[in-house]
Every structure is written in structure tokens, then in C-alpha cells.
């Protein structure tokens, strides 16, 4: 009987520990570092919010804004993706080639980073800039996607709708 009481006490303690501030349930299983699927979802949300809809993409090749693989895949799911070199002469060659393919909305997607403000939360940020065409050089406002850990799995935070343009 004493052992049964001890198990009930432990179960009650675990249930109480699962509750975080504000009544939101806290995960008992910690999430690992975010996987590609999290970055894919965050980038897809951002790209869905952009207007006009980009039909092709540029990815900067400098180390400061290297896209996570999941974000790169989100771009490739929508349209062709080209490397955008830091050297101005090489960039001019890329832009000349893109112009020969026709004038379609081309977005340079930039990864602004990710943060874990708490053990069970994650914030991922992107921004963009139009390259070529009528909107050349116009910035696309940054957007933040929020995720929370639910029993070891990162999930989109339903409380925070994707911000966008």
C-alpha cells in the first residue's frame, strides 16, 4: 500500500510540473535542436505571406545569411532557386541570366536567425528583398514564426499567427 501511495504522489507531482505559467501545459520531454522541418514550415509561412508571390528565388552565398536546409527546400518547392554570390561581377552575371529567362518576381530570402527564449519555445525569423524587375531593391518586411515544444516535438504556436506583409 505504501508503494502505491508513493506512485500516486509521484504521478501528481509530474502532473503539477507539466503546468507552466499562465496555465499552458509544459512539455515533460524536452525538444532537441530544431530540425529541417521546423525551418521548412517557418519559411513556407513567410513565403506564403509575401505579395506578389515569388516565382523564383535567390540564395545568398555569404556565410552570414546561410539558409537552413529546410528553408532552402521550402523555396525549391515553390520555384527555381539560384545562388546569389557576394561578388558584384558574379552577381551581374546571375542577374543577366535571370533576365534572359523572363521577368518574374524574384525574391532574395534571408535567414535572420532563430532563438530559444525558453526551454520549450523557438522563434525563427526571415526577411527578403526583391531583385530585378519593377520592385528591384524593395525590402520585404521581416517575419517571425513561433514554435513551442510539445512532448519532444516542435509545433507551430497557434497563439501567434504568421506575421507577414
Amino acid at each position: 500500500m505504501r508503494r502505491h501511495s508513493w506512485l500516486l504522489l509521484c504521478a501528481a507531482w509530474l502532473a503539477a510540473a507539466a503546468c507552466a505559467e499562465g496555465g499552458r501545459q509544459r512539455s515533460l520531454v524536452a525538444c532537441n535542436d530544431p530540425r529541417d522541418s521546423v525551418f521548412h514550415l517557418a519559411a513556407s509561412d513567410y513565403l506564403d505571406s509575401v505579395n506578389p508571390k515569388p516565382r523564383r528565388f535567390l540564395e545568398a552565398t555569404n556565410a552570414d545569411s546561410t539558409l537552413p536546409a529546410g528553408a532552402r527546400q521550402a523555396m525549391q518547392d515553390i520555384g527555381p532557386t539560384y545562388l546569389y554570390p557576394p561578388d558584384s561581377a558574379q552577381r551581374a552575371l546571375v542577374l543577366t541570366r535571370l533576365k534572359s529567362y523572363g521577368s518574374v518576381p524574384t525574391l532574395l530570402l534571408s535567414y535572420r536567425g532563430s532563438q530559444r527564449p525558453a526551454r520549450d519555445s523557438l522563434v525563427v525569423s526571415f526577411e527578403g528583398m526583391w531583385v530585378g524587375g519593377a520592385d528591384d531593391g524593395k525590402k520585404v518586411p521581416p517575419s517571425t514564426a513561433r514554435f513551442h515544444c510539445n512532448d519532444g516535438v516542435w509545433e507551430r504556436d497557434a497563439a501567434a499567427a504568421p506575421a507577414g506583409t
Side-chain angles (χ1 to χ4, degrees):
M1 182 71 176
R2 183 176 274 204
R3 185 173 200 177
H4 181 69
S5 298
W6 176 248
L7 287 174
L8 286 174
L9 181 62
C10 286
W13 181 82
L14 286 173
C19 295
E21 312 88 49
R24 187 170 130 192
Q25 268 199 331
R26 186 173 172 190
S27 178
L28 293 177
V29 179
C31 281
N32 292 325
D33 287 335
R35 304 275 187 236
D36 288 340
S37 60
V38 172
F39 295 108
H40 185 278
L41 183 58
S44 294
D45 285 350
Y46 179 72
L47 297 172
D48 286 346
S49 74
V50 173
N51 192 16
K53 296 294 177 210
R55 298 211 358 238
R56 64 183 173 203
F57 300 92
L58 295 170
E59 179 183 353
T61 58
N62 59 349
D64 291 347
S65 61
T66 301
L67 290 173
R72 183 178 308 106
Q73 185 61 51
M75 291 189 310
Q76 292 173 346
D77 288 349
I78 297 171
T81 303
Y82 302 90
L83 297 178
Y84 196 62
D87 178 69
S88 59
Q90 291 176 338
R91 252 192 323 241
L93 291 173
V94 170
L95 294 176
T96 300
R97 171 135 328 164
L98 289 176
K99 197 174 195 178
S100 73
Y101 296 152
S103 179
V104 298
T106 305
L107 183 70
L108 172 63
L109 181 65
S110 298
Y111 173 60
R112 297 185 71 206
S114 62
Q115 300 173 347
R116 288 182 72 172
R119 179 180 78 88
D120 62 347
S121 65
L122 174 70
V123 177
V124 180
S125 301
F126 292 99
E127 66 184 353
M129 184 178 75
W130 296 110
V131 178
D135 291 329
D136 186 42
K138 282 187 181 176
K139 294 195 181 253
V140 178
S143 179
T144 300
R146 298 179 187 282
F147 297 87
H148 66 275
C149 180
N150 185 15
D151 290 328
V153 177
W154 289 110
E155 296 179 348
R156 182 187 294 125
D157 195 343
T165 55

